[in-house]
């Protein structure tokens, strides 16, 4: 038995703070439990009342003559603390604190909440809240509505977790309108003890829960969350997890010393968490419910086993009795990561046998407005038999001759004989109601609009890809961690907040990156000597901590082919840098061997306090901020995740041999991305990092670091006064 069973399925409940005054939370929660038909024993606790709603009241939980499993506390913080102590001493197994005034308001509330958590953890009692709506279990065996929502939802196979109590009441109303049922429904408020991960793991093992939905505002766990949820979404008992997260429009990116820091933000972190753990993100409450409808769609196999219907690919057939909605569905199908299936000749032939001459026999199949149920049935059966079709969208618009119920029955007949998913859009309300009810009664999802059905199909395909993702053999990498640690520590000891480019290149070499011969010149003559030694052509780069983006300051010159160009170039970029920032401390000029040609990509990292290193990959050079064609992933990153990042950018076509260009060395990129992840994990002193550009050469020729920027956290004692020690050039 799980310790959370005492929260969701208690045999006895005490409402501490039950009130006799209608409209007060303590009154309404007690009323909701009574009205909901709770199957256990209920006790109101109120020292100033003989009874609450005709149920005998007790002055304290200690005077209840029964073992209490769950205490619902609706009291101000100080009194709540006292009640928690009494409840724990009385043997309570679970506590829900609905009332507010704790950590969310600061001050004394923070300390009281900490003390409550300490008491509960010492006793092994799980706590939900404070500052939450409560918990609901509508299953007939429990029927517990321990919340201040008057609506008891219908029982179902979906569980809902929310950080917002206020949103819960709206969701319950929305669910009632859509005839949606729940297995468990919970608001977690301040998450003082029980949080999303606790609930995800509990609901994953709950035989009454098939799909989990979450409304999320923020997480307090990073890599641990990803690994645990991976097991939930793709392990022994696969449970789809659907999330809607607030704040998508506020990216949270900030002014930073790296491209990665400027492009990354809280939404990049959350998108990475969702992708890496197999969570499917919805953009609205309506979309969340649409996805949940699709994921409860089941089929019975030949062996009698019930399994979820998922597409093995993304090729969709559309069958419709109206051209306009079919076009809408086609557009949304493509934007949802799907493809319009191309029918085989025999499929077109079968369609021609059963459809009128005016019908469209190619995808989308238009069976014409006067279509009867047999026309739909023949068309749907034909396209589903096509090996090039992975599923179907069926659209019905009500015409005067349309038999919605008959068409619904035909769809069910075809669906029972196919393992491919069929999602339906019966457009309208009254005229199609019989057909919609029939489909829903038999477990088939129906959507009001074709674009909703297409997006839901896209979510099913996303989940299918996650379940069937390729497991690659890990790379065997050998890093010089000892030397790397020394390089970082020397920069920290010197009070620097960055690793200079020379040190940065040495650090990257420790992790298997190929770098170019590079030396620092203090004078133009020294620059000429270095260039002749390492060989032409060369690149010159200004070195100054104050000049973050060298190109903006005219601090980079490329393709210098002789000594004269180098010495003149040295003077030119120093003058440009001083004009750009007269206060900048110029430490010298780097002379670097020109890299061989290659496609420019960027590797980056930005470290977050809770979640750790966030890696970035994308098309590099000056285009990284123009196109922002990048993918993010939280470290540690393995080979599979590296492949997802590299293949996930739009510019991947350029790397994969687009229009006669040589195919880039993608294998090396994958290996280096894993190496970058190792570096970020091994050296927590590194806060931000850009390798831009990293030049990836044709297949088999590797990749070369052309420029790097590595930012450190502030050294203890503050940064040294670099200006006073800098070379006066």
């Amino acid at each position: 038995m799980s310790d959370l069973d005492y929260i969701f399925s208690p045999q006895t409940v005490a409402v501490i703070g039950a009130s006799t005054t209608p409209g007060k939370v303590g009154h309404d929660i007690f009323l909701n439990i009574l009205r909901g038909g709770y199957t256990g024993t209920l006790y109101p606790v109120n020292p100033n009342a003989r009874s609450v709603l005709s149920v005998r009241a007790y002055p304290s939980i200690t005077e209840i003559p029964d073992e209490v499993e769950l205490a619902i506390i609706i009291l101000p913080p100080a009194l709540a603390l006292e009640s928690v102590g009494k409840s724990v001493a009385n043997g309570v197994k679970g506590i829900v604190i609905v009332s507010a005034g704790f950590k969310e308001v600061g001050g004394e509330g923070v300390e009281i909440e900490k003390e409550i958590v300490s008491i509960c953890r010492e006793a092994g009692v799980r706590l939900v809240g404070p500052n939450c709506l409560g918990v609901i279990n509508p299953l007939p065996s429990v029927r517990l509505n321990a919340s201040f929502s008057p609506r008891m939802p219908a029982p179902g196979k979906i569980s809902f977790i929310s950080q917002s109590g206020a949103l819960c009441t709206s969701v319950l109303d929305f669910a009632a309108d859509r005839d949606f049922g729940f297995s468990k429904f919970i608001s977690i408020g301040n998450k003082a003890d029980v949080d999303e991960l606790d609930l995800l793991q509990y609901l994953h093992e709950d035989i009454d829960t098939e799909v989990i939905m979450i409304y999320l505002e923020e997480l307090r766990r990073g890599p641990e969350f990803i690994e645990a949820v991976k097991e939930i979404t793709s392990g022994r008992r696969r449970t789809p997890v659907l999330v809607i997260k607030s704040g998508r429009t506020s990216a949270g990116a900030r002014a930073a010393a790296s491209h990665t820091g400027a492009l990354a933000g809280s939404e990049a972190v959350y998108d990475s968490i969702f992708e890496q753990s197999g969570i499917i993100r919805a953009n609205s409450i309506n979309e969340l419910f649409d996805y949940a409808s699709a994921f409860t769609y089941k089929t019975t196999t030949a062996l009698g086993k019930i399994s979820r219907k998922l597409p093995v690919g993304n090729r969709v057939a559309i069958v419709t009795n109206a051209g306009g909605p079919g076009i809408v569905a086609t557009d949304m199908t493509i934007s949802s990561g799907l493809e319009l299936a191309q029918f085989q000749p025999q499929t077109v032939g079968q369609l021609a046998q059963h459809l009128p001459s005016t019908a469209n026999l190619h995808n989308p199949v238009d069976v014409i407005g006067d279509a009867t149920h047999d026309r739909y049935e023949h068309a749907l059966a034909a396209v589903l038999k096509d090996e090039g079709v992975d599923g179907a969208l069926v659209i019905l618009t009500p015409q005067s001759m349309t038999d919605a119920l008959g068409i619904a029955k035909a769809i069910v007949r075809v669906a029972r004989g196919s393992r491919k998913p069929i999602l339906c859009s019966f457009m309208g309300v009254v005229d199609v109601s019989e057909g919609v009810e029939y489909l829903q009664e038999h477990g088939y999802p129906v959507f009001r609009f074709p674009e909703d059905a297409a997006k839901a199909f896209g979510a099913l395909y996303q989940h299918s890809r996650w379940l069937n993702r390729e497991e690659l053999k890990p790379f065997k990498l050998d890093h010089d961690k000892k030397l790397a640690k020394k390089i970082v520590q020397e920069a920290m000891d010197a009070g620097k907040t960055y690793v200079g480019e020379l040190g940065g290149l040495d650090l990257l070499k420790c992790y298997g990156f190929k770098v170019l011969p590079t030396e620092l010149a203090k004078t133009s003559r020294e620059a000429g000597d270095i260039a002749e030694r390492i060989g032409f052509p060369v690149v010159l780069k200004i070195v100054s901590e104050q000049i973050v983006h060298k190109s903006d300051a005219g601090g980079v010159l490329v393709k210098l082919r002789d000594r004269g160009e180098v010495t003149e170039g040295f003077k030119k970029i120093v003058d440009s840098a001083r004009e750009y920032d007269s206060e900048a401390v110029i430490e010298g000029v780097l002379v670097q061997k020109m890299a061989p040609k290659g496609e420019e990509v960027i590797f980056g990292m930005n470290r977050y306090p809770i979640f750790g290193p966030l890696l970035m990959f994308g098309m590099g050079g000056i285009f990284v901020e123009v196109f922002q064609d990048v993918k993010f992933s939280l470290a540690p990153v393995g080979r599979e995740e590296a492949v997802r990042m590299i293949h996930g950018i739009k510019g991947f076509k350029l790397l994969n041999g687009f229009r006669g260009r040589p195919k880039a060395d993608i294998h090396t990129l994958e290996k280096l991305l894993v190496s970058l992840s190792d570096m970020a994990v091994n050296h927590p002193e590194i806060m931000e990092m850009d390798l831009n550009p990293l030049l990836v050469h044709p297949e088999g020729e590797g990749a070369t670091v052309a420029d790097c920027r590595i930012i450190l956290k502030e050294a203890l004692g503050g940064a040294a006064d670099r200006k006073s020690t800098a070379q006066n050039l």
Side-chain angles (χ1 to χ4, degrees), residues 512-718:
F513 286 85
K514 183 164 66 175
V515 302
L516 297 162
T518 308
E519 296 182 38
L520 180 67
K522 301 284 188 173
T523 66
S524 60
R525 179 175 179 177
E526 192 176 356
D529 292 342
I530 293 170
E532 288 181 335
R533 183 165 60 252
I534 65 177
F536 296 99
V538 297
V539 177
L540 299 183
K541 302 177 186 176
I542 200 71
V543 179
S544 172
E545 185 178 355
Q546 289 74 38
I547 299 177
V548 175
H549 300 297
K550 303 180 185 73
S551 297
D552 294 347
V556 179
L557 292 175
V558 301
K559 297 181 181 179
L560 305 181
R561 300 186 179 278
D562 56 43
R563 185 182 183 96
E565 288 186 2
V566 170
T567 55
E568 284 299 315
F570 182 98
K571 297 172 186 175
K572 181 178 179 181
I573 65 172
V574 169
D575 290 343
S576 295
R578 284 178 172 155
E579 184 178 344
Y580 178 79
D581 184 353
S582 61
E583 297 296 317
V585 179
I586 299 172
E587 299 174 29
V589 173
L590 287 180
V591 183
Q592 187 175 71
K593 178 80 173 176
M594 271 288 290
K597 287 184 177 181
E599 298 289 350
E600 293 187 346
V601 299
I602 182 172
F603 279 15
M605 186 278 288
N606 195 40
R607 190 176 301 275
Y608 286 80
I610 295 174
F611 304 109
L614 179 71
L615 303 190
M616 183 180 82
F617 171 78
M619 299 307 293
I622 63 172
F623 298 111
V624 61
E625 288 181 349
V626 175
F627 297 118
Q628 298 187 10
D629 183 19
V630 294
K631 292 292 286 185
F632 295 94
S633 189
L634 283 170
V637 164
R639 188 173 180 181
E640 291 91 350
E641 199 58 31
V643 169
R644 181 189 68 80
M645 292 176 70
I646 293 168
H647 287 244
I649 64 169
K650 295 182 179 68
F652 178 73
K653 289 181 179 179
L654 295 175
L655 303 176
N656 203 33
F658 184 71
R659 291 197 173 181
R661 299 163 78 110
K663 186 175 180 180
D665 196 338
I666 295 169
H667 179 77
T668 293
L669 284 182
E670 294 168 3
K671 188 179 292 186
L672 292 178
L673 203 48
V674 175
S675 293
L676 186 75
S677 170
D678 292 344
M679 185 192 307
V681 170
N682 292 339
H683 305 286
E685 303 87 354
I686 300 175
M687 301 306 292
E688 296 181 29
M689 185 163 32
D690 272 355
L691 279 57
N692 183 39
L694 176 70
L695 297 168
V696 54
H697 310 303
E699 199 167 23
E701 297 180 19
T704 305
V705 178
D707 197 5
C708 68
R709 180 178 296 112
I710 300 173
I711 310 300
L712 303 174
K713 64 183 178 182
E714 281 286 343
L716 292 174

